[in-house]
Amino acid sequence: MTLTRFAWSLNSSAASARRTRRVPTAHLLAVLLFLVTLPRVGRQVYGQATMPPASLQQALHRVDDLLAAGKNKEAVDEATKAVAENPSSALAHVFLGRAFLAVGEEDKAALEFRNAMALDAKNAEAHFWLGQLRLIQRRLPDAQAEFRRAIEAAPDLGPAYAVLGRLAMELGQAAEARQLLEKAVELDPQDVTSQYRLAGLLMEAGE
């Protein structure tokens, strides 16, 4: 639930973080597609993580509330404090990375996601969010690699299959896109976006 609220706050923060530079239309479309997928993604990715101690849960909820309120700099401060108090928590580093992403600090966000991976190489959430960052940056091969690592760590992570399926469609890999989207729908029958994309592929194939 907490990542779901953050998904909507990131919409405004991502835009404000880029007001000082011109952004290509294709890049903006990628960001919008990324934001549309986040509410469902947030719920499922969060469910993959081991629940942290109560005190850290409270701190991360505060970070999430600040992000939802558009108080992104305060969220960075709160997440920084959470990491200082819980330096061995991969999840705390992921939240700090999310906060940095919300203020447009992409390099710092990537560093925190990698810090999380250093603590837990199989942390699906860290790989998933780094994949989302690379998707925003239009570093598509890197994004694909991170989403695949997320799936290796959490084979039932439906949103990762969904995003990989969309990327495969964008790259003209119809057969792979179909397999990935079928898996996404199998894992999450309520994923109507993947259902729609899969129906389009089937129609194009004459099925």
Side-chain angles (χ1 to χ4, degrees):
M1 181 175 67
T2 57
L3 293 185
T4 302
R5 294 201 303 272
F6 169 68
W8 300 111
S9 71
L10 184 57
N11 194 351
S12 58
S13 59
S16 62
R18 290 174 170 78
R19 284 174 185 157
T20 58
R21 62 184 181 185
R22 296 181 64 84
V23 181
T25 300
H27 186 98
L28 287 173
L29 288 174
V31 173
L32 289 173
L33 287 170
F34 156 69
L35 290 167
V36 166
T37 64
L38 277 182
R40 183 177 301 277
V41 165
R43 287 190 294 273
Q44 296 192 27
V45 174
Y46 190 77
Q48 299 289 336
T50 301
M51 293 305 293
S55 60
L56 179 55
Q57 287 186 51
Q58 293 173 359
L60 299 184
H61 276 298
R62 288 195 295 272
V63 173
D64 212 51
D65 288 340
L66 289 168
L67 290 168
K71 299 179 180 180
N72 300 322
K73 292 182 179 179
E74 291 91 334
V76 170
D77 293 340
E78 188 70 29
T80 299
K81 181 180 177 182
V83 167
E85 294 177 352
N86 303 271
S88 63
S89 169
L91 190 58
H93 285 279
V94 171
F95 269 66
L96 180 54
R98 290 174 45 206
F100 278 133
L101 185 57
V103 296
E105 295 282 358
E106 294 178 355
D107 290 342
K108 291 182 179 180
L111 177 60
E112 289 306 321
F113 298 143
R114 293 199 178 282
N115 285 340
M117 295 172 199
L119 291 165
D120 178 7
K122 296 295 186 180
N123 188 290
E125 187 168 5
H127 286 294
F128 187 90
W129 279 95
L130 183 57
Q132 294 286 18
L133 171 58
R134 298 312 184 206
L135 181 58
I136 290 175
Q137 296 172 329
R138 302 303 292 162
R139 293 172 52 176
L140 301 188
D142 292 337
Q144 286 180 309
E146 292 302 332
F147 290 129
R148 293 191 186 283
R149 292 185 184 109
I151 287 173
E152 289 176 7
D156 293 337
L157 189 57
Y161 291 96
V163 180
L164 278 171
R166 174 163 59 81
L167 280 172
M169 288 181 66
E170 188 172 336
L171 295 172
Q173 302 164 350
E176 183 177 2
R178 176 174 175 173
Q179 293 178 351
L180 290 163
L181 292 172
E182 285 176 344
K183 184 65 174 180
V185 172
E186 174 188 336
L187 290 169
D188 182 9
Q190 297 182 12
D191 183 356
V192 293
T193 302
S194 290
Q195 291 178 19
Y196 177 81
R197 292 187 175 118
L198 180 58
L201 287 174
L202 295 174
M203 186 176 298
E204 290 178 3
E207 297 184 30

